[in-house]
Amino acid sequence: MRRWSLAIGCILLAAFLPGLAAGDEPPNVPATAPAGALARIRASGVLRVAIDATYPPMEFLENGQPVGFDVELAREIARRLGVTAQFIVMDWDGILAGLTSGRYDIILSSMNITPARQQQVDFVEYARLSQVFVTTRGRNIRTEQELAGHSVAVQTNTTSQRWVEQLQQRGIAVREIRAFPGATESFAALKSGQADVIVVDEPVGLYFAHEDDTFVITGQALEPEPIGIAINKQDADLTAAITQAFADIKASGELKRLSERWFGGELGQTAKPRGFWVFSREVVLPRVLQGLGVTLQLTLGSGVLGIALGLLVALARISRRSGLRAVAVAYITLFRGTPLLLQLLFIFFALPLFAGIRMGPMAAGLSALSLNAAAYIAEIFRAAIESIDKGQMEAARALGMSHELAMRRVILPQTFRRLIPPLVNELAALSKDTSLVMVIALPEMLYETKQIAGTYLRPEVYAWAAIGYLIIVVALSTLAQRLERRMEARGT
């Protein structure tokens, strides 16, 4: 009887376990997981969107934030789904693998719809883009036959690269195919003479030709092909919802407004390139002035702190107490003997690991610049103090003053006039050293200018950064001259 009971129990257990393994829940246990991708996204409140942020004007980074046509379209779709778009920047080579592995919900990054990709994912078509030839002025490559003998730049693993490779197989003697990870690198190679022509999506070519009149669109390489939003095949509910959301965006006129903003009108109509002065007024100056404000904060803040700390270190350096002198000498040796860039990196990245002290970029920048400047300013103070005749101190002591009182009332006032020229030089150098904070992503003036030059491929904008630094140095020199004249008038 016990054997029969054991056998029946085993049979029932074997019948019950497959259901649990398949994910079935025991009776009376309510299911809490959302049914489908759309319900999961709405429950989380976030639509995860993958982009390759090297494809202006479709998607690129500005001040570290994603911007572009595709980015705004993704935000509009997310808004109509009742959620917020969260952007995940991916390299183009692995972007499809990330979608199929569930790292994000959709890809909205100007992806061409091809039969091979349609076998892996579903698409919601949202535009049709042609491929164009882009060259520099003086070249006129209009047809695929004219690619023979030229170096062609393309983005890695794109329709453009495969098309040029097919031309080679068909017998067109392209001298070299240069595949770059992003569109910006392709245009940089063309501008520097490392490539003769680029094959790229029409809006990207229009964008760079609009921003830099070095580039010219000379012909159409491929007929318009569809691009789409890539979605996992099992997420049919999400595909349907995005299809409806895009239809609403198109019907409301929002799609047209986005196109006019980012493409300057309908595709196929080349916009007039902006000259240097127009581009500077519309794009460069607002951001350079914003960066100039940060540079001034760093210069003045670290200058004041550096002078205060430098004076204390200088007094310790000439103190009669050997312990204070030793500390001052060690401080000056440390901060003058190591690069400012190393000090900045240590404070921002290493100090949290060693001491648990975490600073924001502005606080870290001010700390590093102040500590470094203080070491140099301390030596300026020391040299100025020691240049005062020793008889001044002896006379003050003979009048009954303590050493500290004599320093404060007699010696230091006489050093101020001698300090002005070297202090101005130090502050001028400090204003230029502020450019190093770009390594911790603090948007000072040179950082902003570098971002503009890299995004728009307009290296001439560095002239505005040079003007900004000149303004600071000239202002400091003018201030120093006025102080010297005022002190002369007072007979100091």
Side-chain angles (χ1 to χ4, degrees):
M1 188 66 180
R2 295 176 62 184
R3 291 181 179 178
W4 281 105
S5 299
L6 182 60
I8 292 171
C10 290
I11 292 171
L12 291 174
L13 185 61
F16 184 64
L17 281 175
L20 291 179
D24 295 337
E25 296 181 356
N28 302 322
V29 178
T32 57
L38 182 60
R40 172 180 53 77
I41 290 168
R42 283 177 171 161
S44 67
V46 173
L47 176 68
R48 299 171 299 166
V49 183
I51 59 171
D52 168 27
T54 61
Y55 217 55
M58 306 306 283
E59 58 269 336
F60 59 103
L61 295 179
E62 191 173 80
N63 295 330
Q65 299 300 317
V67 295
F69 176 83
D70 285 341
V71 171
E72 292 199 17
L73 179 60
R75 289 196 174 108
E76 189 63 27
I77 289 173
R79 187 179 69 81
R80 291 172 187 267
L81 294 180
V83 297
T84 302
Q86 175 188 343
F87 294 97
I88 300 170
V89 177
M90 291 290 296
D91 289 334
W92 186 254
D93 284 346
I95 201 167
L96 264 178
L99 177 64
T100 55
S101 64
R103 291 192 60 185
Y104 28 83
D105 304 309
I106 65 172
I107 300 172
L108 210 169
S109 192
S110 303
M111 180 172 283
N112 286 98
I113 302 174
T114 64
R117 288 170 178 165
Q118 285 178 309
Q119 293 179 3
Q120 302 178 62
V121 295
D122 288 332
F123 284 97
V124 176
E125 180 182 330
Y126 65 94
R128 286 181 173 265
L129 304 179
S130 62
Q131 302 280 316
V132 294
F133 298 122
V134 181
T135 62
T136 52
R137 294 190 180 278
R139 288 194 178 97
N140 193 20
I141 299 173
R142 295 167 296 176
T143 65
E144 59 187 48
Q145 287 77 19
E146 292 176 352
L147 292 177
H150 292 289
S151 174
V152 183
V154 294
Q155 186 176 358
T156 303
N157 196 24
T158 59
T159 301
S160 303
Q161 181 181 6
R162 288 188 288 273
W163 181 72
V164 179
E165 289 172 348
Q166 290 171 2
L167 291 182
Q168 282 186 317
Q169 295 171 5
R170 285 164 40 195
I172 295 179
V174 173
R175 177 164 57 86
E176 180 186 19
I177 300 175
R178 303 205 63 186
F180 294 92
T184 53
E185 291 90 345
S186 300
F187 280 87
L190 178 62
K191 190 164 186 174
S192 63
Q194 299 179 34
D196 302 322
V197 60
I198 300 173
V199 180
V200 72
D201 283 336
E202 180 187 13
V204 181
L206 285 173
Y207 174 82
F208 280 103
H210 178 261
E211 300 300 335
D212 188 340
D213 56 10
T214 302
F215 304 116
V216 182
I217 296 176
T218 56
Q220 182 173 283
L222 285 170
E223 294 293 327
E225 293 184 331
I227 63 172
I229 305 166
I231 310 167
N232 268 319
K233 282 188 172 294
Q234 62 267 30
D235 297 339
D237 57 339
L238 180 59
T239 302
I242 290 179
T243 301
Q244 183 59 52
F246 177 72
D248 293 342
I249 292 170
K250 188 174 182 180
S252 68
E254 183 63 26
L255 186 65
K256 182 179 179 181
R257 285 191 290 272
L258 290 177
S259 298
E260 289 175 348
R261 175 179 178 184
W262 289 103
F263 307 142
E266 297 294 329
L267 291 179
Q269 298 177 357
T270 305
K272 182 180 178 181
R274 285 182 283 186
F276 176 74
W277 295 111
V278 174
F279 178 71
S280 296
R281 184 179 69 251
E282 295 178 356
V283 178
V284 182
L285 284 178
R287 290 180 59 181
V288 168
L289 290 174
Q290 183 179 351
L292 177 61
V294 177
T295 298
L296 286 173
Q297 291 180 48
L298 289 168
T299 302
L300 298 177
S302 58
V304 170
L305 293 173
I307 289 172
L309 181 58
L311 177 58
L312 294 177
V313 174
L315 294 176
R317 178 75 173 79
I318 61 176
S319 172
R320 290 173 297 175
R321 299 176 183 178
S322 59
L324 284 177
R325 288 201 306 273
V327 171
V329 169
Y331 176 90
I332 293 170
T333 303
L334 174 64
F335 282 95
R336 293 185 65 175
T338 56
L340 173 57
L341 180 59
L342 175 62
Q343 297 162 20
L344 179 63
L345 293 173
F346 182 86
I347 290 173
F348 190 74
F349 292 110
L351 199 58
L353 301 178
F354 284 106
I357 301 174
R358 289 176 173 80
M359 298 183 184
M362 177 60 80
L366 280 172
S367 299
L369 290 167
S370 301
L371 291 170
N372 183 270
Y376 291 90
I377 291 173
E379 290 296 272
I380 293 173
F381 272 115
R382 183 182 65 83
I385 292 171
E386 292 181 346
S387 68
I388 303 298
D389 189 272
K390 293 183 179 180
Q392 299 285 332
M393 175 62 76
E394 293 173 356
R397 294 302 300 275
L399 292 174
M401 292 185 183
S402 66
H403 184 272
E404 290 75 12
L405 183 60
M407 287 293 299
R408 188 170 70 251
R409 294 288 183 87
V410 179
I411 304 301
L412 290 180
Q414 297 184 62
T415 64
F416 288 156
R417 184 176 177 182
R418 305 181 185 188
L419 281 172
I420 291 175
L423 275 182
V424 170
N425 289 336
E426 179 60 29
L427 291 176
L430 187 60
S431 70
K432 291 173 279 189
D433 287 341
T434 58
S435 61
L436 294 175
V437 301
M438 73 166 63
V439 300
I440 58 174
L442 187 59
E444 49 75 52
M445 185 163 53
L446 187 57
Y447 176 91
E448 292 285 6
T449 312
K450 184 176 182 294
Q451 291 291 311
I452 296 169
T455 299
Y456 297 98
L457 295 181
R458 301 286 295 258
E460 66 270 27
V461 302
Y462 286 121
W464 289 112
I467 292 171
Y469 288 112
L470 282 172
I471 289 173
I472 295 175
V473 173
V474 169
L476 289 172
S477 300
T478 303
L479 178 62
Q481 290 172 3
R482 288 186 177 181
L483 287 174
E484 285 182 320
R485 286 197 297 268
R486 181 172 295 183
M487 295 180 75
E488 287 175 358
R490 291 181 178 179
T492 303

